[in-house]
Amino acid sequence: MRDGHAYGRGACDMKGGFVAALSAFLALHRTGTRPRGDLLLAAVVGEEDGGLGTYATLARGWRAGACVITEPTAQDVLAANGGALTFRLRVPGLAAHACARTSGVSAVEKFQLIFPVLRALEASRNRTVDPMMRRWDIAYPLEVGTVRSGDWASTVPDLLIAEGRFGVALDEPVAEARAAFESTVAEACAADPWLKEHPVTVEWWGGQFASGRCPSGTDLVQRVVSTHARVHGGPAPEVVGAPYGSDLRLLTAAGIPAVQYGPGVGYGHCPDERVSLDQVHACAETLLHLAVNDS
């Protein structure tokens, strides 16, 4: 710890948020305060890869009148999430000795035809976005995270595998998002003689997040905003959406109003990952007052 922050892998995403929630529960226990209703702390795993922990919790029958997810938001209130789908592209080539490279087809060169098309798809999908997503430079990002090709320095590579994530717009059905991605890749292949006969294949694997939105018929968003403002003073938290998937969409799909409100933002998954201890304490205070007054 230094400079008022806790540093380390997972400090921001999301040990800080878990500590805030746990601290609120411990404060209730130590003071003997009894909320009007039941409180559940669901410490689940697997949020980064599709939300298996929350899915299992719901599958076992656990339900609640409302849920605050303490993912890092810098204590704004996130009432919606874009989705994110993990994809794998297999780009075929034709192997040849590098000394006679024109007798082969480089999968690397063929991928160079696909990547700019994906960037263009990203741009077109972000020209008009939901008002809740306007704070982000790119509301629904598309990125290629890994690229692997070739098995020897002096061979024309006959296969390239690229993996990445594809942003799903708010309220966009996952099937429609996948279809838009697949048709874009197919159109790019159709424009190249080699790829027309040997098209790139698309595989959906890993984390598959639909978008999610806290239903408009609940007052949960306003309760969290007003509780934060009452406890801490100053400007009220902003109500926004986020460009990443989370367990929010599983909870709302199960009929549980849910928002994200937690300490830290912007440092998750980074080499210098950290969370503000002041924000951890402030989040715990808000959760404590929310539990006492609203449960």
Side-chain angles (χ1 to χ4, degrees):
M1 295 188 187
R2 67 178 187 274
D3 305 325
H5 289 77
Y7 286 75
R9 178 64 170 167
C12 178
D13 186 14
M14 57 168 290
K15 293 174 183 175
F18 176 71
V19 168
L22 182 60
S23 296
F25 269 73
L26 290 175
L28 287 171
H29 175 71
R30 289 167 179 164
T31 61
T33 304
R34 296 186 63 84
R36 295 194 301 270
D38 295 329
L39 293 177
L40 170 66
L41 176 62
V44 298
V45 300
E47 183 271 337
E48 295 286 355
D49 198 29
L52 295 179
T54 292
Y55 180 84
T57 300
L58 295 170
R60 291 185 175 96
W62 291 98
R63 292 296 185 272
C67 178
V68 177
I69 306 168
T70 54
E71 287 268 4
T73 68
Q75 296 179 274
D76 282 334
V77 177
L78 267 63
N81 285 113
L85 307 176
T86 307
F87 63 83
R88 178 180 291 126
L89 302 177
R90 296 182 182 272
V91 184
L94 178 64
H97 196 294
C99 74
R101 71 173 186 83
T102 57
S103 65
V105 177
S106 170
V108 173
E109 290 186 9
K110 294 307 175 183
F111 179 64
Q112 290 176 319
L113 301 177
I114 301 299
F115 185 73
V117 171
L118 297 181
R119 277 285 183 255
L121 173 64
E122 177 189 62
S124 68
R125 288 170 58 81
N126 281 276
R127 289 195 182 100
T128 303
V129 300
D130 189 283
M132 293 186 70
M133 305 295 287
R134 288 176 183 165
R135 72 150 47 178
W136 306 101
D137 291 339
I138 302 176
Y140 310 118
L142 191 166
E143 184 59 290
V144 174
T146 68
V147 177
R148 304 186 299 277
S149 186
D151 54 16
W152 192 44
S154 192
T155 298
V156 175
D158 64 352
L159 178 65
L160 181 144
I161 298 176
E163 296 171 345
R165 62 94 71 190
F166 177 50
V168 179
L170 289 186
D171 305 321
E172 179 184 25
V174 167
E176 290 185 11
R178 287 176 177 160
F181 185 96
E182 292 170 1
S183 65
T184 297
V185 172
E187 289 171 8
C189 291
D192 177 78
W194 171 261
L195 292 179
K196 184 176 182 179
E197 298 299 324
H198 309 83
V200 175
T201 61
V202 181
E203 177 185 349
W204 302 102
W205 70 285
Q208 303 291 305
F209 294 88
S211 66
R213 190 194 293 265
C214 189
S216 58
T218 177
D219 63 350
L220 174 62
V221 173
Q222 186 53 45
R223 295 208 316 265
V224 177
V225 169
S226 60
T227 300
H228 175 100
R230 183 175 70 250
V231 172
H232 304 293
E238 288 189 59
V239 178
V240 296
Y244 50 79
S246 82
D247 288 351
L248 181 148
R249 98 279 185 200
L250 292 174
L251 294 161
T252 55
I256 303 172
V259 298
Q260 292 176 212
Y261 168 85
V265 72
Y267 296 108
H269 302 222
C270 294
D272 59 347
E273 185 166 352
R274 60 190 182 271
V275 65
S276 163
L277 296 179
D278 285 344
Q279 286 194 16
V280 173
H281 292 304
C283 179
E285 285 187 85
T286 300
L287 295 174
L288 176 60
H289 283 80
L290 188 67
V292 170
N293 295 324
D294 291 331
S295 60

